[in-house]
Amino acid sequence: KDDPKVTAAASWLAALGTAKGTVQDVMADRPPALRMTYDHALLVLALVEHDPVRHQAAIRRSVETLVDGQKASGQWAYLVTMGGPLDAGDNSNTQFALLALRSAALAGVPVPKRIWQRAAKHFEDTVAKDGGLGYGCPGTLEGAYGSMTAVGVACHVIARAMLLGPEKAPTFDYAKVPQIGYGLLWLAVRFAADRNPEIEKVSMAPAGAPGGP
């Protein structure tokens, strides 16, 4: 982490501004700025790994942005200020937000308890009867498939672990939580290393949506 190029890259990331852009701004490739949930999440993960003390101001800024960006559903959308048909959020953006917030919290940056509560409730309420999960945005990539089921299990575990705290989390049997146990079973039955299980059964995103034609 002390390599001059790595240090310079981390400093460049920490200095990026935050923009309340639109989908059109992102697609038009406006000047570098943090507009998307992915942007803030990956910045937090990188800066916490590099030096959470040195980059604390930038980490806290993005953590606050992610906290404010959580939807009532417990999810995050592509843009933290986004409106429109995808405003409910999706499980892919939610995964990155939770990974970042967990990393920041373990580095000592406060994350409100409600963040973990909403996220846990989302994954409790949206697991299919067979344990699978999909993209999680109504009308987009409908149906359960491997990568999103793995995301759902991991995110549910993260949320519950953060609610349990450092003393109870390491010894808690997460597989006994029905929705987590069903998700693990879904993955065990369908696991494949050469493809994304059951992605071929998923209906594609509508035209104009991220991931769509």
Side-chain angles (χ1 to χ4, degrees):
K1 72 177 185 179
D2 296 324
D3 182 281
K5 291 184 178 179
V6 173
T7 300
S11 297
W12 183 86
L13 286 171
L16 285 176
T18 298
K20 295 182 178 180
T22 64
V23 175
Q24 287 73 26
D25 290 330
V26 174
M27 295 306 205
D29 193 25
R30 296 291 191 265
L34 303 169
R35 293 183 175 88
M36 303 179 74
T37 296
Y38 291 132
D39 296 338
H40 287 282
L42 288 167
L43 177 134
V44 169
L45 288 165
L47 296 186
V48 167
E49 186 67 22
H50 185 252
D51 190 334
V53 175
R54 176 179 177 180
H55 305 301
Q56 185 174 112
I59 293 167
R60 285 179 176 268
R61 178 192 62 188
S62 283
V63 165
E64 290 170 2
T65 301
L66 290 170
V67 166
D68 290 342
Q70 190 184 36
K71 307 300 179 183
S73 65
Q75 296 173 293
W76 280 262
Y78 276 85
L79 298 179
V80 288
T81 58
M82 186 174 179
L86 299 181
D87 191 48
D90 62 78
N91 289 337
S92 178
N93 279 285
T94 298
Q95 169 192 207
F96 277 83
L98 290 175
L99 287 169
L101 291 173
R102 173 186 179 274
S103 179
L106 294 178
V109 178
V111 175
K113 185 177 180 180
R114 70 177 184 276
I115 297 298
W116 314 118
Q117 291 172 328
R118 287 176 183 170
K121 187 175 190 308
H122 164 69
F123 289 105
E124 287 171 2
D125 294 346
T126 57
V127 175
K129 290 182 179 180
D130 65 357
L133 285 115
Y135 187 65
C137 183
T140 307
L141 296 177
E142 296 282 7
Y145 54 104
S147 55
M148 285 298 105
T149 299
V151 160
V153 170
C155 287
H156 198 167
V157 169
I158 286 172
R160 283 186 170 266
M162 298 308 292
L163 287 169
L164 286 167
E167 293 185 4
K168 295 181 180 179
T171 58
F172 184 77
D173 188 355
Y174 298 93
K176 287 187 176 180
V177 178
Q179 297 89 342
I180 294 174
Y182 296 151
L184 290 171
L185 181 60
W186 193 101
L187 291 166
V189 169
R190 297 166 178 81
F191 180 80
D194 60 347
R195 66 186 186 281
N196 191 347
E198 303 210 355
I199 188 68
E200 69 279 357
K201 297 181 181 179
V202 174
S203 58
M204 296 306 293

